[in-house]
């Protein structure tokens, strides 16, 4: 049995469930909001690993596509917030210990939530990563921005729009406003890569915007990575304990691939629609055990 665990109101989760239905693959969807509101769950981390969410019995030997989100911080009352924390804490522990396939297990070693650490680990893994600086020193930040085209990025894993900055933009910066994460801007085409097991789905994006996600006129074209890079992203994804990951690259004019990040829970539906559902097809094949 394949289970999808997440929020039915969330676009990526809803897309996965809809595509599975379109591709005639049975998937049992579990809506965490409904579970929290019903207050009905039992999860055992131990010998029998039994589980029940909102009256549904979960098979610990099954396969799970997960987009677990804790909405405790968004609740208006303390009781609802506690239920979200209790459920997500117990569920992530259970998913970490069951023998079935979980895409991806909550305990995977992902440093995506800290951009400086993330970029350092990617560079140490052999990827080309643009130079960056993180700090609160106005002098050092202005000097970095003055040395070449620079973008400011979110320091954490929270999604945010990247934009160009220069030294003048930092003229009034005070240390108490930091830390700030700056990265050298690489002009060129964007390449988005989704790794599913040993399969690679890549799209080249041409956009006039610094962050193509803000550009309604961006052009998307399926592409193939160089063989060596394709093998590298598959190997590194597996090395991080992941079966599914979203990679972001910049392809410079000299054909150098610069690695920006790897996302352990990619919002992939936007890309999958352009590829005719092939990413979901690979995910379903992985969950069914028909490909590695």
């Amino acid at each position: 049995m394949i289970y999808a665990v997440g929020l039915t109101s969330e676009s990526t989760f809803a897309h996965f469930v809809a595509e599975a239905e379109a591709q005639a693959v049975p998937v049992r969807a579990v809506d965490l909001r409904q579970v929290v509101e019903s207050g009905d769950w039992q999860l055992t981390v131990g010998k029998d690993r039994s589980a029940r969410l909102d009256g549904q019995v979960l098979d610990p030997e099954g396969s799970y596509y997960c987009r677990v989100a804790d909405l405790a911080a968004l609740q208006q009352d303390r009781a609802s917030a506690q239920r979200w924390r209790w459920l997500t804490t117990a569920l992530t522990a259970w998913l970490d210990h069951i023998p079935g396939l979980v895409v991806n297990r909550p305990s995977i070693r992902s440093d995506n939530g800290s951009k400086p650490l993330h970029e350092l680990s990617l560079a140490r893994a052999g990827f080309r990563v643009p130079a960056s600086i993180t700090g609160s020193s106005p002098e050092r930040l202005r000097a970095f921005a003055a040395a070449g085209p620079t973008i400011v990025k979110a320091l954490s894993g929270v999604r945010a729009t990247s934009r160009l900055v220069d030294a003048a933009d930092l003229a009034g910066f005070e240390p108490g406003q930091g830390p700030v994460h700056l990265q050298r801007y690489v002009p060129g085409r964007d390449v988005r890569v989704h790794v599913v097991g040993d399969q690679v789905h890549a799209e080249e994006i041409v956009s006039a915007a610094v962050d193509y996600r803000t550009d309604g006129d961006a052009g998307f074209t399926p592409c193939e990575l160089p063989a060596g890079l394709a093998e590298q992203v598959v190997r590194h994804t597996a090395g991080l304990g992941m079966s599914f990951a979203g990679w972001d690259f910049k392809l410079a004019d000299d054909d150098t691939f610069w690695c920006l990040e790897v996302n352990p829970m990619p919002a992939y539906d936007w890309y999958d629609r352009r590829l005719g559902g092939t990413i979901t097809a690979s995910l379903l094949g992985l969950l069914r055990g028909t490909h590695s």
Side-chain angles (χ1 to χ4, degrees):
M1 172 59 69
I2 297 175
Y3 299 85
V5 181
L7 301 170
T8 55
S9 59
E10 194 260 326
S11 63
T12 303
F13 182 87
H15 173 79
F16 173 82
V17 174
E19 274 296 309
E21 182 178 357
Q23 297 180 33
V25 178
V27 168
R28 183 177 297 176
V30 179
D31 183 6
L32 295 181
R33 181 178 280 107
Q34 184 174 326
V35 176
V36 168
E37 290 176 353
S38 73
D40 175 27
W41 66 83
Q42 180 179 331
L43 296 148
T44 303
V45 178
K47 187 175 181 180
D48 64 359
R49 300 185 181 92
S50 62
R52 188 189 72 251
L53 296 180
D54 193 33
Q56 295 191 60
V57 176
L58 307 185
D59 180 5
E61 303 281 349
S63 296
Y64 290 79
Y65 171 65
C66 300
R67 291 185 64 81
V68 178
D70 183 355
L71 303 187
L74 303 180
Q75 304 310 304
Q76 298 299 313
D77 62 279
R78 183 170 178 269
S80 295
Q82 283 184 325
R83 285 197 296 274
W84 274 103
R85 292 194 184 98
W86 290 337
L87 173 62
T88 54
T89 299
L91 180 59
T92 54
W94 187 79
L95 290 168
D96 270 338
H97 288 86
I98 61 173
L101 174 64
V102 179
V103 180
N104 288 306
R105 290 191 190 273
S107 64
I108 58 171
R109 187 178 63 84
S110 173
D111 46 33
N112 183 267
S114 171
K115 286 297 184 287
L117 177 61
H118 189 57
E119 291 168 9
L120 177 62
S121 66
L122 288 171
R124 286 180 172 175
F127 294 94
R128 290 180 179 269
V129 179
S132 65
I133 183 174
T134 303
S136 299
S137 166
E139 294 78 14
R140 293 186 64 194
L141 292 170
R142 285 196 293 267
F144 184 89
T150 301
I151 58 173
V152 60
K153 301 178 70 173
L155 184 60
S156 69
V158 176
R159 182 172 177 172
T161 301
S162 300
R163 63 181 181 88
L164 285 168
V165 294
D166 56 29
D169 293 319
L170 299 164
F173 179 80
E174 298 291 338
Q177 297 173 281
V180 171
H181 185 65
L182 302 180
Q183 187 181 69
R184 189 67 65 223
Y185 174 65
V186 179
R189 292 154 287 173
D190 288 274
V191 178
R192 174 71 173 201
V193 180
H194 290 93
V195 173
V196 186
D198 60 3
Q199 298 193 13
V200 176
H201 302 270
E203 294 172 76
E204 186 176 289
I205 303 126
V206 177
S207 171
V210 172
D211 190 329
Y212 69 85
R213 295 171 301 180
T214 66
D215 183 3
D217 295 322
F220 293 74
T221 306
C223 66
E224 289 190 13
L225 296 184
L229 182 58
E231 293 171 1
Q232 189 178 14
V233 295
V234 168
R235 183 171 62 251
H236 193 66
T237 298
L240 292 172
M242 294 188 286
S243 303
F244 180 39
W247 291 77
D248 290 310
F249 291 91
K250 289 289 287 193
L251 177 56
D253 293 338
D254 62 359
D255 291 330
T256 299
F257 280 84
W258 292 89
C259 185
L260 304 181
E261 70 171 317
V262 52
N263 190 324
M265 194 169 73
Y268 78 97
D269 50 303
W270 195 38
Y271 308 92
D272 195 41
R273 291 187 180 94
R274 291 179 170 85
L275 293 177
T278 57
I279 301 172
T280 302
S282 290
L283 270 172
L284 292 169
L286 180 69
L287 292 162
R288 297 172 75 185
T290 57
H291 74 72
S292 59

